[in-house]
Structure formats: C-alpha cells, structure tokens
Amino acid sequence: KGSIFDVLDIDVTSSTLAAGTVDSWDFEILEDEQMHMYVIAPSPVDLVVSVMNGNQAIINRQNNAPAGSPEIINNPSLPGEGTYQVLVSAEGGAATEYGITAFTDPEFPAVIVGILTSGSRRNAVQLPVDWAHVWFFMATAGDELTVRIDPAGNEDPAADLYGPEAEALDYIDSGEEGQEEVSTTTLETTGLHALRIIEIYSEPMTYDVEITLQ
C-alpha cells in the first residue's frame, strides 16, 4: 500500500481490504518519534493488526478490540529508527472497507472513536486538549446526511467530512461558541465515510454527536 503518511489527509484515510488478503502499510519512524495507529472496520468484520520489522519478523500482533471498535497500536517497543510494515487483515479473510489514523507525535493525536450509525446519538464524548476525534460511518450514494455536534459548554466544535477515497466533502463550522453545529450534505459515493471533530480553540470539550441518513 506504500507509506501511510503519503495518503493521510489531515490525519485520516480509508482503504479497502480484499477477501483473503493482507494489506501492508509502510510506517517510518525517526529518532524520538513514536508509532501510533488506529484501524477500524464496520461490524461484523474483526480486524487483526501487526507490526513487522525489516527482517520480516512480527514484533507486535494484536486483535484486542471487538468487531466495530478500533484496533490501536500505541507506541509499541521498537528496535529503533527505520521503516516498519503495519499489516492489516480480517479474521476469516473477510473483505471490508476500513479506516485509519496514524501519527508520531502523541501531543497532537487523531484518534478513531468508533462507528456511527444513523439515528444513534453518542452522548458526553470527551475530547482532550489538542486532540482530534474521528468517527466512521457507512453511507450510500444519494443519501442525505445530517450531522449534529452539540457541545456541553461554551466550546466551539468544528468538523471535516470525508468520502470513501478520503476526499474532503464539507467543513462544518457555522455556529457560535456553545451552539450546536448542524450540517446537511447529499452524498455522491457509496462506502465508508469519516467525520473528524476538533475544538476550534484547542479547548477540552464534551460533546454529543449524531448522524442521520435519509
């Protein structure tokens, strides 16, 4: 698949895993950097994520999260600088679309929180200072998507909406501080979409989020 950082668009991208295959992403680590990567697929697909060094040896393998939750590579013990391969596969060899975030500076993380489904509101989600939250959801071409992001206090949320090829579809930031952000977009592509949420002034924020597809 090449370098993960060549395809990341503001922290987030997505890809397609063919049935019975293993995807391999290059992840370069320089001095004093850390490896962090989140990978998620819609349920019922259960992902397996491994880290392999240049000698083709697996140095970290995990299948910790249940289907529909992110597998997280969080600063594994690595022998040093270099380019490692992150392998992504699915239990049973299932084909799937999956989402990715990756970063090397833990002070400014972009983390995958989970999968959103239409009409299912996620409440009291806590966003720390300087973090970005990424939610993925499946949608069909022609769907009218409504996004609602409601801060608990006087924070100012904003969000980027991405399509299945990680193409930027919308930037959501029309409300004032403390107001709910609401945006409606007609989607043109079928597949795994992403919503990246931040707080404009890098304040900690507690928020509710909901999508509706019609």
Side-chain angles (χ1 to χ4, degrees), residues 94-190:
T96 187
E97 294 180 69
Y98 63 97
I100 307 169
T101 63
F103 53 94
T104 58
D105 185 349
E107 292 188 9
F108 302 96
V111 304
I112 297 175
V113 189
I115 300 286
L116 293 173
T117 56
S118 180
S120 181
R121 190 175 181 91
R122 299 294 189 98
N123 296 312
V125 184
Q126 296 185 1
L127 179 72
V129 173
D130 292 327
W131 284 38
H133 274 178
V134 179
W135 298 88
F136 283 92
F137 61 93
M138 293 296 296
T140 302
D143 281 346
E144 184 178 79
L145 167 71
T146 299
V147 176
R148 295 180 178 274
I149 307 168
D150 190 9
N154 291 322
E155 297 80 24
D156 191 358
D160 295 291
L161 176 66
Y162 296 97
E165 300 296 327
E167 69 275 22
L169 302 180
D170 194 15
Y171 177 67
I172 303 168
D173 183 28
S174 59
E176 302 294 333
E177 294 177 17
Q179 294 182 349
E180 183 182 49
E181 291 286 348
V182 181
S183 175
T184 299
T185 306
T186 300
L187 303 177
E188 299 181 355
T189 310
T190 297

Side-chain angles (χ1 to χ4, degrees), residues 10-54:
I10 315 181
D11 306 324
V12 57
T13 193
S14 58
S15 189
T16 300
L17 181 68
T21 65
V22 178
D23 282 356
S24 176
W25 295 93
D26 291 339
F27 196 125
E28 184 179 11
I29 291 293
L30 303 178
E31 186 178 2
D32 297 326
E33 289 185 337
Q34 298 178 5
M35 176 183 286
H36 299 271
M37 188 165 169
Y38 287 61
V39 187
I40 195 169
S43 181
V45 175
D46 189 12
L47 293 179
V48 180
V49 182
S50 304
V51 180
M52 186 168 63
N53 64 18

